[in-house]
Amino acid sequence: MKNAIVTGASRGIGKAVAIQLAKENFHVIINYVSNEIEAQKTLDEIIGFDGSAELLKFDVSDKTQTEKAIENWTKNNPDKYISVLVNNAGIRKDGLILWMSDEDWFDVINTNLNSFFYLTRIIVKEMLVNKFGRIINIVSLSGLKGMPGQTNYSAAKAGIIGATKSLAQETARKGVTVNAVAPGFIKTDMTAELDEKELKKIIPAQRFGKPEEVAHLVSFLASENSAYITGETISINGGIY
């Protein structure tokens, strides 16, 4: 059984990805930072269909916490390694840059972009040693086209897209692929306050996507069948361009 870690897996896209990977016979490490109740629900759902999973609490935006958590997991699982990393954790603090505070800028950059660096550089080592790995970064439509009021969020997601392309070239010959998935409007807690009725008018598919639809794409990229796909950003957005 291969091991996968999904950050921010207590709700939304992260939860759907964790559940789908467990259905694909991965042992899933469910990362969360504060919402223990929802993280436990994700774990319970996986255990409910005889899947394999565990909880691992740490703040991805905190370098020390991240390193300590992965080091402890490795120490407790000496014969295993994490072969799939899904960098999903993210936050939004929207606002026009004219009134954006330092805190709103750095919180979003730290959680959405710096976390990629802190976690990926640790986990990729064992992937390279074992000559197999899948790194899948959940980015956003905002990182591709930009969105007003999301300068911080768009900057962070665009940064990960650039990092995806570069890292893919560093690791490809060792059997480690690196790809990004860019969801559009997906029905989650993060989009709950958006005007779905109005936004559907700009979506050719005329609807918001489901977290499970994103999870199926991530599941394919995590599989051995995706071995010749790397450095790509794949949009899943109902046709928005």
Side-chain angles (χ1 to χ4, degrees):
M1 181 174 285
K2 292 178 180 177
N3 301 284
I5 184 168
V6 183
T7 65
S10 62
R11 294 181 298 175
I13 290 173
K15 177 175 184 172
V17 168
I19 290 169
Q20 184 59 40
L21 290 178
K23 289 178 179 178
E24 300 290 339
N25 204 36
F26 282 93
H27 173 75
V28 181
I29 302 162
I30 300 165
N31 162 256
Y32 71 103
V33 64
S34 59
N35 200 332
E36 189 161 356
I37 292 174
E38 292 300 321
Q40 185 64 49
K41 287 180 182 178
T42 304
L43 177 61
D44 290 344
E45 189 165 340
I46 290 172
I47 298 301
F49 58 77
D50 294 326
S52 178
E54 65 181 286
L55 299 179
L56 189 59
K57 179 180 180 179
F58 65 92
D59 183 352
V60 294
S61 70
D62 186 305
K63 174 179 174 288
T64 302
Q65 276 192 44
T66 299
E67 290 177 348
K68 188 174 292 185
I70 300 304
E71 285 170 5
N72 287 341
W73 187 91
T74 302
K75 190 181 298 182
N76 293 330
N77 298 273
D79 299 324
K80 301 175 183 177
Y81 84 102
I82 296 169
S83 62
V84 172
L85 164 60
V86 182
N87 286 305
N88 168 74
I91 61 170
R92 278 176 41 211
K93 292 193 173 182
D94 295 352
L96 298 179
I97 198 167
L98 184 64
W99 296 294
M100 187 174 289
S101 67
D102 288 359
E103 181 183 10
D104 286 353
W105 175 269
F106 286 111
D107 282 353
V108 169
I109 295 296
N110 287 335
T111 302
N112 295 7
L113 179 57
N114 291 345
S115 62
F116 161 84
F117 173 64
Y118 299 149
L119 190 54
T120 303
R121 70 170 173 177
I122 302 171
I123 291 178
V124 75
K125 293 177 184 178
E126 287 301 311
M127 292 181 177
L128 295 171
V129 168
N130 287 275
K131 296 183 178 180
F132 180 88
R134 300 284 184 265
I135 298 170
I136 302 148
N137 303 313
I138 307 300
V139 290
S140 173
L141 175 67
S142 297
L144 291 168
K145 70 180 290 291
M147 296 287 280
Q150 290 192 336
T151 306
N152 48 3
Y153 188 76
S154 296
K157 294 301 188 180
I160 295 178
I161 290 169
T164 296
K165 295 176 181 179
S166 294
L167 182 58
Q169 295 178 59
E170 295 178 14
T171 63
R173 67 188 182 92
K174 291 289 188 178
V176 178
T177 65
V178 189
N179 291 290
V181 171
F185 295 105
I186 308 297
K187 287 183 77 74
T188 67
D189 292 348
M190 280 186 89
T191 60
E193 80 281 8
L194 299 179
D195 189 339
E196 184 174 348
K197 185 178 180 180
E198 281 301 309
L199 287 168
K200 284 195 295 187
K201 295 176 183 177
I202 67 169
I203 305 170
Q206 293 286 288
R207 67 176 178 88
F208 277 21
K210 303 172 186 176
E212 292 78 13
E213 291 173 310
V214 180
H216 281 292
L217 174 55
V218 173
S219 175
F220 170 68
L221 292 174
S223 73
E224 296 188 13
N225 294 327
S226 66
Y228 205 54
I229 302 171
T230 195
E232 293 299 317
T233 300
I234 302 173
S235 293
I236 177 165
N237 60 26
I240 299 175
Y241 292 100

